[in-house]
Amino acid sequence: MQDYLLKGLLLSFVLYLGLILLARKNYRAVYLLSGFYAGLSFLLSLFFLLFHGSSQAAVFPLGLPGTGAHFRIDSLSAFFLLVVNLAAFMASLYGLGYGSHFAEQQRILPFYILFLGSMNMVLLAADMFSFLFFWELMSLSSWALVMSSHKEKETAEAGFIYLLMAVLGTFALLFSMSLLASHSGTFSFEGMSKAALPSKSASVVFALALFGAGSKAGLVPLHAWLPRAHPAAPSHVSALMSGVMTKVAVYGFLRIVFDLLRTQEKWWSYLLLVIAGVSMIAGVLYALMQHDLKRLLAYHTIENIGIVFVGIGLAMAFKTYGMVAASALSFSASLFHVLNHSIFKNLLFLGAGSIQSSTGSRDMEKLGGLVSKMPYTAFAFLIGSMAICALPPLNGFVSEWLLMQSILLSPQLPSWGLKFLVPSIGAFLALSAALAASCFIKVYGITFLGRPRSMSAMAATETDRWSLLALYFLAFLCLLWGVFPAPVLHLLGPAVGLLSGGEYFNLSGKPFYEPLSLTIDRNAYNGLFLILLLGGFSLCVLFMVLGKASPYTRKTPAWDCGYPENSPFCQYTAGSYAQPIRKVFGPAFFAAKEKVVCLSPWLPKPARIFLRLHDLAWEYGYLPVARTIDRWSAKINILQFLTVRRYLVLVFVTLVVLLLSLALMLQ
């Protein structure tokens, strides 16, 4: 079969690199052309999914000597290419307007181009060397984007933590693939997939892949870098890192565990479900405590990655027990949520970037009243908020509904452990959806409603037209895929078949407006009927109100809650909204410590509350290791200041020790 689609995608990467020459001259031209190349790659991957069933491969005389660089596109990589390039197109479109607000475009654009290109190449790589090379290029280019505002202390710390976790994750993937290569005798993915690994070796590969990909995706407890690095980057880069780069990590895990390993142990699904369930709850609870808008969205990425891995864990459990149809349903839910999250998370991050550009702040406590200042941004952000809360008829609801349908199949599993564990994960999923709704009620209410809490919020103006175009296109996709999900599920069917072992749901013969049901004798979802029902109900309410309402208008002061002072600081704050949930979950999840200081009644000073929350994974897992490394680095640092004579002695002693060690090993 001709490999013209694969060569077209590889050519797009070369064209991406050519844009670096324009980075210092015209940022608008770079964003236009990068958006064009992303759109071209999107169309090529879409064409492959629609009309090509078999994979396409090519080998180039690059990379390792005697091995070459292997590239391949199949249904799994094509689906993730579609996810990456759709988001990249939207980010580039947004960058046309956002670039005028950001002064450091010359520092951003070269690495932005490398970032987009390397993500594409990770998905096309088909050998160990190429995959790890472009994986590391993706990490380094995104680190450079995080460090674009390097003069800020928080940004420098975020960049250091991100780089450290990226290096550790790459080492884990290197060891994982090296073990596969040692058993197969080749570095190509095709050869690795044919090797039969012993049970212990396969478990080591799985654990290393979970660590390497999970650290990039943001699974708990490997998440410490994510809420620090994502907010530090420019907003359109944050949208790509949170909505797309984490999905490339999901792809890496799926490629290793379900394509290269081929067989899975039964206990793997237990571990994956527990980690994913904890990630869901921890992510949304940490998000509820945040005041920084982009940091809050970054924590919600942890929650949604947990949802994706719940689907993967369920699919693994069903597959190991021979329930292929149930495994296909779980994979469908997981991959659909991958696509949905990339859309509504991009929408929310780009909306947060518009708010920051207009007000100069990400702190919700300094915002408020933006619905009258930025009405178009407010409406688009509302659509994204409803989608991430899994409210029908938007796309976030459909993927979580499918996941819940697969959870309802868990009683058919023969393992009693899974019979108890999976319903518990289902309860976690329902709880995370409720907490996410609570969180975004806070976000939207504090940010857009009420009165402005600062002069910058009072002076805010609507964002530019390019940014609004990107926001509304993403909002339209949230609604379109929520009302008509069947064509999208049909599109990802071949990828589901590759992962589940050949079983997937072929929806090509059904009209796109029919109710969606992927299981027998189960409830169906009809997005079109639902939106018509909601629209009709809203019209009925509107006519009733207009018909019964008085023709007279009465103006009266708003209820002041017992505080007659006309001050915006008497409104609800983000902290006060989250206080009841913090009381319930704070001691267990955050080791929260709260102190209220009330002065004497006759002293005209306000009461104060002092609150401290702790990231337990960071403080007890990462910080001690970082301090130990820093302490030993300071001791070893003395080696930089030796004289030439002492360096020669050190080299001689090292050589003697190595020769003695070699002699002892040969005996």
Side-chain angles (χ1 to χ4, degrees):
M1 181 183 290
Q2 295 179 344
D3 55 356
Y4 59 92
L5 287 176
L6 176 60
K7 290 181 178 178
L9 290 165
L10 294 174
L11 178 62
S12 295
F13 173 69
V14 177
L15 296 175
Y16 267 125
L17 295 182
L19 293 179
I20 297 177
L21 301 175
L22 295 174
R24 292 184 174 273
K25 297 180 180 180
N26 190 333
Y27 77 89
R28 290 185 181 273
V30 174
Y31 281 124
L32 276 172
L33 289 173
S34 63
F36 171 76
Y37 296 146
L40 177 62
S41 299
F42 171 82
L43 292 176
L44 289 174
S45 57
L46 180 63
F47 187 82
F48 180 88
L49 287 173
L50 289 174
F51 301 108
H52 285 268
S54 57
S55 62
Q56 297 181 7
V59 182
F60 297 92
L62 303 169
L64 293 177
T67 301
H70 296 250
F71 299 99
R72 183 182 66 181
I73 181 173
D74 58 12
S75 55
L76 182 63
S77 57
F79 169 73
F80 278 90
L81 281 167
L82 187 144
V83 173
V84 168
N85 288 292
L86 178 59
F89 177 79
M90 289 294 103
S92 297
L93 182 64
Y94 180 86
L96 289 170
Y98 182 76
S100 61
H101 305 292
F102 207 86
E104 299 169 334
Q105 289 300 318
Q106 293 182 354
R107 187 181 300 143
I108 293 172
L109 286 176
F111 300 107
Y112 177 78
I113 296 163
L114 282 176
F115 184 47
L116 295 183
S118 58
M119 284 194 294
N120 278 272
M121 295 304 291
V122 167
L123 302 175
L124 293 173
D127 67 85
M128 173 181 164
F129 177 80
S130 301
F131 181 90
L132 292 175
F133 175 81
F134 288 111
W135 180 280
E136 193 65 8
L137 183 61
M138 175 184 70
S139 300
L140 292 175
S141 56
S142 57
W143 169 80
L145 291 168
V146 169
M147 293 294 291
S148 58
S149 301
H150 62 281
K151 295 181 180 179
E152 300 177 10
K153 182 181 178 181
E154 291 185 358
T155 300
E157 292 178 353
F160 172 75
I161 296 167
Y162 174 46
L163 189 61
L164 179 63
M165 291 300 297
V167 170
L168 291 175
T170 303
F171 268 115
L173 291 177
L174 172 63
F175 294 141
S176 176
M177 290 188 171
S178 297
L179 193 56
L180 283 166
S182 66
H183 283 82
S184 63
T186 179
F187 293 108
S188 70
F189 285 176
E190 184 179 3
M192 289 181 183
S193 63
K194 297 176 181 177
L197 270 69
S199 176
K200 292 183 179 179
S201 298
S203 296
V204 172
V205 171
F206 166 77
L208 290 171
L210 181 60
F211 181 90
S215 63
K216 182 69 71 180
L219 286 175
V220 174
L222 306 171
H223 69 286
W225 65 273
L226 192 148
R228 291 169 171 81
H230 286 196
S235 294
H236 59 315
V237 176
S238 299
L240 290 173
M241 291 179 67
S242 188
V244 177
M245 187 182 71
T246 54
K247 309 309 182 304
V248 176
V250 173
Y251 165 82
F253 180 80
L254 292 174
R255 178 64 72 187
I256 294 173
V257 175
F258 291 94
D259 185 29
L260 304 185
L261 272 178
R262 296 294 177 125
T263 58
Q264 290 87 39
E265 297 291 325
K266 293 180 179 179
W267 64 268
W268 296 359
S269 58
Y270 287 85
L271 177 63
L272 207 56
L273 286 169
V274 170
I275 293 175
V278 172
S279 297
M280 280 194 306
I281 298 300
V284 70
L285 285 176
Y286 276 111
L288 266 165
M289 303 300 118
Q290 304 305 313
H291 300 170
D292 185 306
L293 193 54
K294 289 176 69 176
R295 192 178 178 92
L296 179 146
L297 294 175
Y299 271 116
H300 269 286
T301 297
I302 300 171
E303 176 216 357
N304 282 275
I305 287 297
I307 294 173
V308 170
F309 272 90
V310 164
I312 296 173
L314 276 172
M316 183 182 291
F318 289 131
K319 188 176 180 181
T320 53
Y321 285 102
M323 300 172 61
V324 182
S327 177
L329 175 61
S330 299
F331 274 127
S332 299
S334 182
L335 293 183
F336 195 24
H337 199 73
V338 163
L339 180 60
N340 289 336
H341 179 252
S342 71
I343 298 302
F344 58 67
K345 184 52 67 74
N346 271 270
L347 170 57
L348 292 170
F349 260 112
L350 297 183
S354 298
I355 293 169
Q356 184 179 3
S357 300
S358 182
T359 64
S361 177
R362 305 190 314 241
D363 188 353
M364 287 186 287
E365 306 288 22
K366 297 179 182 178
L367 302 175
L370 295 183
V371 70
S372 60
K373 308 291 183 180
M374 307 174 69
Y376 300 112
T377 302
F379 182 74
F381 199 93
L382 178 62
I383 298 297
S385 301
M386 294 170 63
I388 199 173
C389 295
L391 295 179
L394 298 170
N395 59 343
F397 171 79
V398 183
S399 52
E400 294 197 26
W401 177 80
L402 287 172
L403 186 57
M404 191 61 72
Q405 294 296 308
S406 63
I407 289 173
L408 294 176
L409 297 176
S410 62
Q412 301 177 23
L413 287 165
S415 169
W416 280 100
L418 289 172
K419 286 178 184 289
F420 285 100
L421 177 61
V422 176
S424 302
I425 298 299
F428 277 19
L429 178 64
L431 177 60
S432 69
L435 292 173
S438 176
C439 184
F440 277 91
I441 289 172
K442 179 188 83 169
V443 171
Y444 199 84
I446 302 299
T447 303
F448 290 100
L449 305 181
R451 288 177 290 174
R453 293 172 169 81
S454 65
M455 294 300 296
S456 60
M458 193 175 296
T461 56
E462 187 58 87
T463 190
D464 59 272
R465 294 180 179 179
W466 288 109
S467 301
L468 286 176
L469 182 60
L471 292 175
Y472 273 83
F473 187 80
L474 290 168
F476 171 73
L477 290 180
C478 289
L479 181 61
L480 179 67
W481 291 344
V483 177
F484 303 114
V488 183
L489 287 166
H490 173 68
L491 195 66
L492 58 86
V496 171
L498 189 149
L499 295 170
S500 64
E503 180 78 21
Y504 70 94
F505 302 96
N506 192 339
L507 304 176
S508 59
K510 296 183 178 180
F512 64 90
Y513 52 83
E514 277 195 3
L516 175 68
S517 180
L518 300 186
T519 55
I520 300 174
D521 298 329
R522 297 285 175 182
N523 294 330
Y525 168 75
N526 193 329
L528 181 61
F529 174 76
L530 184 59
I531 197 170
L532 291 176
L533 182 65
L534 291 174
F537 179 75
S538 301
L539 288 175
C540 290
V541 171
L542 179 63
F543 288 141
M544 289 178 63
V545 170
L546 292 177
K548 298 292 184 180
S550 171
Y552 303 102
T553 302
R554 184 180 66 174
K555 292 185 177 181
T556 183
W559 181 42
D560 56 21
C561 304
Y563 295 93
E565 182 183 358
N566 187 19
S567 170
F569 298 104
C570 294
Q571 303 176 103
Y572 251 84
T573 64
S576 61
Y577 182 91
Q579 193 264 352
I581 297 176
R582 188 174 66 241
K583 283 285 188 182
V584 176
F585 295 100
F589 278 86
F590 318 108
K593 294 183 179 180
E594 186 177 299
K595 181 181 179 182
V596 179
V597 178
C598 293
L599 301 178
S600 301
W602 53 83
L603 291 177
K605 291 185 178 181
R608 292 186 177 275
I609 180 171
F610 298 92
L611 174 66
R612 183 172 178 81
L613 301 175
H614 302 266
D615 189 335
L616 301 181
W618 168 252
E619 294 186 6
Y620 294 102
Y622 296 93
L623 199 56
V625 176
R627 287 173 177 170
T628 302
I629 293 173
D630 187 56
R631 185 167 59 252
W632 280 101
S633 298
K635 293 181 179 180
I636 298 173
N637 194 43
I638 194 174
L639 295 177
Q640 296 186 59
F641 305 101
L642 297 178
T643 63
V644 175
R645 188 174 300 173
R646 289 178 177 175
Y647 273 125
L648 291 174
V649 172
L650 181 61
V651 171
F652 176 74
V653 171
T654 303
L655 182 60
V656 170
V657 171
L658 290 175
L659 289 173
L660 287 174
S661 302
L662 182 61
L664 292 174
M665 291 174 60
L666 294 175
Q667 286 183 353

